[in-house]
Amino acid sequence: FFLMTNYNPFQTAHDEYTVRLKFAGGLEKDAVVRFGGIKRGKVTAVRLTPQSPTAAEVVLDLQPGTGVKTDSVARVAALGALGENYIEISPGLVSSPVLKPGETIRSEETPEFSDLFAKMSALSDNAQKLIGDVDKDLNQISGNANTLLTNLSETTGPRNQQAIASALQGANGVIANANGMIT
C-alpha cells in the first residue's frame, strides 16, 4: 500500500520551491538537487509553466533549513561530461534574506552543448580568417624587411664605405685645422 501510494511514514518534511527555466536540460522527477554542492533534495515535478508554454517550471523538495537565499541562483548542472543533470543552487550571501518555502528561486540558464558547439564553430571560422590575415601581413612585413636589408646593404657596401671614410678623413682634417687655429 505504501509503495503504491508513494507514501513513506518515516519521511521527514520538506520545503517546496520552484525554479523557472527556458531549458530544463533533460531533468526528470527524482533528479538530485544540490545546495552548494551538497545533496539537499530532489526534483518532484518538471512541467511547462502556465504563464508561458515555452518555459519549464521545476518543483523542488528541499530539506528544511537548507537556507536558500533571495540571491541564490539555481541552474542545471552535471557532475561529469556524461553524468545525469541535476539542479545546483548557489548559497548566496550570508547577509541576504532567506526565501520562504513556496517561493521561486532565481535561475540562470546553462548553455546547451549545441549552442556551445555552434559558438566554437564560429570561433574556428573567425580564427581561420585571422590566420589568413596574419599570414598576409607577415608576408608583407617580410618583404618590407628584405627591402630594408637590401637598402642597408647597399648603403654600407664597399663603395659607400670608401666615400664615408673619405668624408670622415676630411672632417678630421677640418677639426685638426680648427684646433690649430684655436691654439
Side-chain angles (χ1 to χ4, degrees), residues 32-41 66 88:
V32 173
V33 177
R34 294 178 184 275
F35 180 78
I38 300 169
K39 185 177 175 183
R40 294 294 291 181
T66 297
E88 177 68 45

Side-chain angles (χ1 to χ4, degrees), residues 62-139:
L62 298 178
Q63 295 173 13
T66 297
V68 178
K69 307 283 184 152
T70 54
D71 63 343
S72 293
V73 178
R75 67 181 56 87
V76 177
L79 285 177
L82 300 176
E84 286 193 32
N85 289 346
Y86 68 95
I87 294 286
E88 177 68 45
I89 303 171
S90 67
L93 298 173
V94 175
S95 60
S96 297
V98 176
L99 275 180
K100 295 180 183 124
E103 293 187 319
T104 300
I105 302 171
R106 221 169 39 133
S107 66
E108 185 176 276
E109 297 298 324
T110 304
E112 298 176 47
F113 282 115
S114 59
D115 291 342
L116 292 175
F117 186 72
K119 286 180 182 180
M120 288 177 63
S121 178
L123 181 63
S124 173
D125 293 343
N126 289 340
Q128 290 291 350
K129 182 181 179 297
L130 180 64
I131 289 170
D133 291 346
V134 168
D135 186 44
K136 184 178 109 183
D137 291 345
L138 283 178
N139 286 336

Side-chain angles (χ1 to χ4, degrees), residues 28 30 77 150:
E28 295 180 3
D30 295 327
T150 300

